[in-house]
């Protein structure tokens, strides 16, 4: 049974998302985290994390012959170089999104991965959310007929810190990139052109940093269908994550997720819980399922479910969106 | 076309419910209200109501040869006598619920109606609510399989006046009687025995008047299925009217009706409208549909949909419930 | 009491919508329909409609000195001329949407109405829908904070006849025009620019007639907020009419309206009713409330709630949308 | 920090529920499972479960000086004896429900636990369900006012095997016992008397085994409030677990839990997921939270949240229910 084959891995980058994956891995059988790596790692991490090895230089992770796969959870600008080195070391790679900032570096990493033949998965966790997956189920079984309109509402509960905003690559690269990937994943179609309108409505500081915080993005697909994404950096009622796919035979609609199903009826109204506030809580299951899927691919049980190409195409959409915002015009989405 | 045949009617009793029917009749084609009757009627009602005749003595309504049907909307204790007189005058009768208080008088009226062959409908308006009707649709089409559990939640938004309480005949005769009728209507089965627990939890004055305001009534049906009604005289969040029928193949559940479908998501919660507060608003459509049904029966298009026998059986359930409350024991429901 | 003052009216045009208003008027007190007018009227309409006068030439309606107001329910191209004649005859006017097709004729009618000072209301019935009104309530009471994103989903249950399509003025003038009016009504803000993407996805015949059947319209408001409308001529699950207004303090969302609140739980799923299919059923209350509001304005109880200017501005949005679709560019919305 | 203190435990009984707890323990920090015990244990379990010790005789677990607490997950009739031995060995005890079948044995165990002062928690997992907990939150914060009516719907997705039925102790001891505990937990009040009606409606074999499969249980509380539980061994649409608490200031209602929030609108209806089918899935979080709570109590961070007394009171309710079913009468609930 393939599940019996233990996979030994290393994690490069133990920031927030690195720790999320570390904790989820405890619940996944037959995967051992041998080494964790972070430039700020200290010797007491050996005990704190109960791992065999803690290093500061990621090359030491790649040197480990036992290590079959690595999770790259470092800042985005480091992704391409680490990907190249890991691929050349023959390690299968799970890399956080986006796959990089610099086009040339990204393509170099992409080509190295192709050449070396290692498995590479991008961490678009929302593909593994069971609510969104249900939409894909309905589409796959033909219940929706011809796809016609896609709608994605994606609003954060609160804006990130200004320091984060300044290094995020902008709203499209940091936040909408998830929605761009979902647009492709939910429809299984490619976007041809985009049109964007956006503004600073949440926090003037974001505008001063050269970014926007509220946007509506129209998607024109190659097959003639159309879509719209609406984004806000601040929905006071929580993390608003809804997707709707409308077709000739029906519509599938994934609503928000709440902490409980309990309502309170009073003299004022009938009130239920808000959408879950925190993205790690909202997508807790999805984060675990994406790792399980990665290890399934590493074991050869199925194809990689979110490829390097997917990672690049999401970036192409973000780049087109930025250009549309800047020019006020419809912009064609570049191929890889 | 039978709808073309105009029906001329009189309304006896122009209190609250008489006026409800009067207003609904404006929207019903081919029915003319020739005469209205009330002991407190005054001459200016001719203009106020735009009818041909206003009288104080109901016998004058019955004397009108043009009048084919009457609506009896007077206090309950007058129902049997008026029914007898109207039946003997050959008028079809729509009578408000309950059909009476005194058993002997009720049975005399029942026999007169049978003997004269006039049509007689009791005003259990909830039978004509489209939400509850959907449950019956599911049952009739076989989607529920064998019926197993019936649940009725029926809570008023606020208690009636103490004056009303004192003359209401008690909670079972005044309020639960609707639920007893629904129990029979929704299931199309007869109740064999009842068990009641009840208490005064809303207003001590109700207790001093010898009544209760909160009750749970268990229904044991002749076919072995079972049901439960829960009643309260005061649900602060509105008129709570839910019914659920559970069977071997599925469950149908009718939820409350609200003023709008609009929700408000804030930093506190996601809030929607309360259930409609006022029974005339909640059952507005049902009140109109019950009259349409009555006139359909008068025209011979279909049978009477809520018969005198239905009216009596609801009373038998109310009587058994009272006895169970008083004795703390299971009580068999009398036949007619 | 102002409600006591009877208003005598005429209806010009007794097609589908003329009959809708005729029937709703039966439930409105103190309004008498003296005359109905239609070019295909026949003498038996006197009895059929129980009115005092049936005419074929609308000038005869306007000649009636008793008549205080008229409802114009004729084809759109006739609206301006009839409006001018009615205004010059001193009649208050309720005119179906849109107020006309030809810009010059519309503006001439607009100026005549201004000059004569008669009251004029456009029939954008959705303004009187209680679900959408609730959104406005939340906005007005400040619960939404600064408005940021408006979303309107408006999908018909099935496409109109091809004959209708050919004379409708196009999807934006016939269907989206309601959504354009709602965009202004819900936000109380003006749209500065629009961008449209659209396609033929429902029925190729519509394309051959030079129209589209599926569209996404981005709205850029003067105050910086943004909105999106998505339209389809065919939602197989019913008439899909949802509006959402998102702001700095919260979000109000009006969901679809269904026939019943009843759900059916089976071994397959938990299923509820589809959205109401037919627009006359879905907006039945709104059609009645818009007339009540018009007569309130005629009596001077409040201002006209949907003015000639509102009618023109909706057309300006439709015109800009058409131009954006044709050019693929952002288009500024003309002033009146 | 108390969380730092590692707790070493043993699990006695590695059947279905033992394995559930075993797997949940992997996600709980600072708890080590040193020993597992089962009469059918084999030597390969050492590897299979990765524990230090696998034994067949539970006394060997109790002999381990390192072991601070044990989970008793054996068949019900063994609970009292094992509890006594574990208590005498000074181990804190988490014991599955019910605490036993035989009254004398239960009370002996209860007294031993009291005498030895070890901590003892009964595994009524539903107390740790976040939906039901929300009801308690609303009650505790005073939002419900005076409690008046409690309603519990508890229906299994399918009946257990006939072999299980025969050894289950009957529906009240096996299935309703959870609802009896919830009745006490949700209200924080004690039940004075019960009345039961029940029948065999799902499977005649259950009747032949002397049990019923469908029941309605009326609860009369000491404080005058009332409640009702309805049970079925088979709801074809899934595991139906709803609780509602109605009071003078409002109502809290916990609805079913579904796999996803995704709905599908088609020409037939708008359909969502069924309630989760399997109890381990439905209460997955609750099972984990109950263990966390137990270890919190072991560490002295808070009191035991579901005591031996709670375990006995639930049995008293089950016993009274059985007697009411057998006699058709109201039965008083015995004290401990």
């Amino acid at each position: 049974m393939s599940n019996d084959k233990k996979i030994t891995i290393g994690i490069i980058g133990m920031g927030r998302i690195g720790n999320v994956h570390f904790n989820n891995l405890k619940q996944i059988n037959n995967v051992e985290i041998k080494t964790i790596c972070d430039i700020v790692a200290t010797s007491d991490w050996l005990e704190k994390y109960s791992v065999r090895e803690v290093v500061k230089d990621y090359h030491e992770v790649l040197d480990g012959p036992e290590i079959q796969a690595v999770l790259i959870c470092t800042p985005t600008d480091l992704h391409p170089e680490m990907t190249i080195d890991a691929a050349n070391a023959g390690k299968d790679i799970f890399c956080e999104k986006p796959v990089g900032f610099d086009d040339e570096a990204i393509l170099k990493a992409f080509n190295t991965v192709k050449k070396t033949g290692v498995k590479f998965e991008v961490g678009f966790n929302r593909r593994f959310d069971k609510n969104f997956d249900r939409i894909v189920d309905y589409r796959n079984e033909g219940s929706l007929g011809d796809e016609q309109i896609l709608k994605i509402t994606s609003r954060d509960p609160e804006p990130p810190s200004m320091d984060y905003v300044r290094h995020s690559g902008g709203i499209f690269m940091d936040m909408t990139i998830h929605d761009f990937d979902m647009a492709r994943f939910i429809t299984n179609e490619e976007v041809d052109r985009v049109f964007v309108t956006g503004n600073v409505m949440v926090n003037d500081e974001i505008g001063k940093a050269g970014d926007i915080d509220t946007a509506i993005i129209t998607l024109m697909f190659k097959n003639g269908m159309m879509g719209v994404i609406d984004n806000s950096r601040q929905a006071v009622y929580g993390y608003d994550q809804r997707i709707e796919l409308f077709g000739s035979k029906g519509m599938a609609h994934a609503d928000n997720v709440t902490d409980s199903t309990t309502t309170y009826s009073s003299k004022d109204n009938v009130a239920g819980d808000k959408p879950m506030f925190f993205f790690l809580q909202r997508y807790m299951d999805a984060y675990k399922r994406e790792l399980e899927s990665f290890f399934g691919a590493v074991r050869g049980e199925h194809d990689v479910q979110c490829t390097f190409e997917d990672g690049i195409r999401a970036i192409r959409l973000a780049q087109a969106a930025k250009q549309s915002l800047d020019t006020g015009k419809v912009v064609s989405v570049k191929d890889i």
Side-chain angles (χ1 to χ4, degrees), chain A:
Chain A
M1 203 176 86
S2 58
N3 266 325
D4 290 334
K5 207 168 65 182
K6 195 175 76 174
I7 299 173
T8 303
I9 69 162
I11 305 178
I12 303 172
M14 289 298 289
R16 183 163 67 172
I17 193 68
N19 272 280
V20 167
H21 293 316
F22 182 89
N23 284 317
N24 280 328
L25 283 161
K26 287 189 202 166
Q27 301 170 49
I28 296 175
N29 290 328
N30 294 316
V31 174
E32 188 202 4
I33 309 166
K34 188 196 156 209
T35 313
I36 62 175
C37 166
D38 200 290
I39 49 170
V40 300
T42 50
S43 57
D44 59 337
W45 285 23
L46 275 174
E47 190 185 12
K48 178 182 169 194
Y49 287 102
S50 294
V51 289
R52 281 198 269 156
E53 198 173 41
V54 174
V55 300
K56 290 183 159 198
D57 181 342
Y58 77 92
H59 297 92
E60 293 182 53
V61 181
L62 303 181
D63 286 345
E66 272 176 281
I67 286 178
Q68 183 176 355
V70 293
L71 313 191
I72 300 179
C73 307
T74 52
T76 300
D77 52 354
L78 302 176
H79 292 176
E81 183 192 349
M82 290 177 170
T83 295
I84 289 166
D85 290 347
N88 283 328
K91 312 299 185 196
D92 290 333
I93 300 162
F94 175 91
C95 180
E96 269 307 316
K97 51 106 288 202
V99 290
F101 282 140
D102 179 72
D103 264 12
E104 203 179 330
I106 292 169
L107 289 174
K108 198 172 155 200
F110 179 50
N111 288 325
T112 306
V113 164
K114 274 209 290 198
K115 197 185 60 196
T116 57
V118 299
K119 274 146 186 168
F120 181 95
E121 178 157 337
V122 192
F124 280 125
N125 57 294
R126 294 185 197 174
R127 288 189 176 219
F128 299 93
D129 178 75
K130 61 190 177 178
N131 307 290
F132 301 149
D133 254 12
R134 283 286 279 159
I135 301 180
V136 175
D137 289 345
Y138 283 118
R139 190 200 73 207
N140 281 338
E141 74 194 29
S143 300
L144 304 181
D146 299 329
E147 299 177 82
Q148 296 175 343
I149 299 174
L150 169 74
K151 292 176 72 179
I152 297 178
T153 292
S154 178
R155 301 172 188 155
D156 280 354
E158 52 189 2
S161 70
M162 280 313 300
D163 186 60
Y164 182 92
V165 166
R166 282 183 201 99
H167 300 89
S168 67
I171 189 171
F172 302 124
M173 200 62 142
D174 169 54
M175 178 178 168
T176 324
I177 199 161
H178 279 290
D179 307 311
F180 289 133
D181 183 61
M182 289 312 281
R184 296 181 59 250
F185 172 70
I186 295 286
T187 64
N188 202 31
E189 296 290 340
E190 295 299 341
V191 178
D192 187 50
R193 288 159 296 140
V194 302
F195 172 78
V196 173
T197 184
N199 225 328
V200 179
M201 309 198 79
V202 172
N203 184 348
D204 283 346
E205 291 301 310
I206 292 175
K208 287 178 195 159
D211 204 355
I212 57 169
D213 53 33
T214 309
I216 289 180
I217 300 121
T218 304
L219 308 172
M220 290 152 269
F221 287 80
K222 290 190 172 163
N223 69 344
M225 71 173 291
M226 53 203 82
V228 64
I229 298 166
D230 72 274
N231 284 154
S232 168
R233 281 290 196 185
Q234 182 167 50
V236 294
Y237 53 83
Y239 194 29
D240 193 346
Q241 297 279 292
R242 288 171 285 162
I243 299 185
E244 173 177 311
L245 183 56
F246 170 83
S248 59
K249 287 190 182 167
M251 172 177 73
H253 179 101
D255 213 333
N256 281 312
V257 176
T258 57
D259 272 334
S260 83
T261 64
T262 304
T263 56
Y264 170 54
S265 300
S266 70
K267 64 181 175 47
D268 297 320
N269 53 41
V270 177
D273 287 354
K274 294 181 297 182
M276 285 182 174
F277 198 83
F278 190 41
F279 77 96
L280 291 178
Q281 182 194 23
R282 169 65 180 82
Y283 288 118
M284 185 171 54
D285 286 346
Y287 278 111
K288 187 176 165 221
R289 288 178 66 208
E290 81 174 349
L291 287 189
E292 288 170 337
S293 172
F294 172 64
F295 294 119
V298 167
R299 287 192 178 95
E301 293 164 4
H302 53 71
D303 287 342
V304 164
Q305 295 190 301
C306 189
T307 67
F308 208 133
E309 193 177 314
D310 291 322
I312 296 174
R313 289 197 186 279
I315 290 173
R316 292 290 174 262
L317 278 157
Q319 290 166 336
K322 183 68 169 66
Q323 195 182 335
S324 176
L325 179 71
D326 291 345
T327 61
K329 292 187 178 158
V330 174
V331 172
S332 290
V333 182
K334 268 183 63 183
D335 205 345
I336 282 187

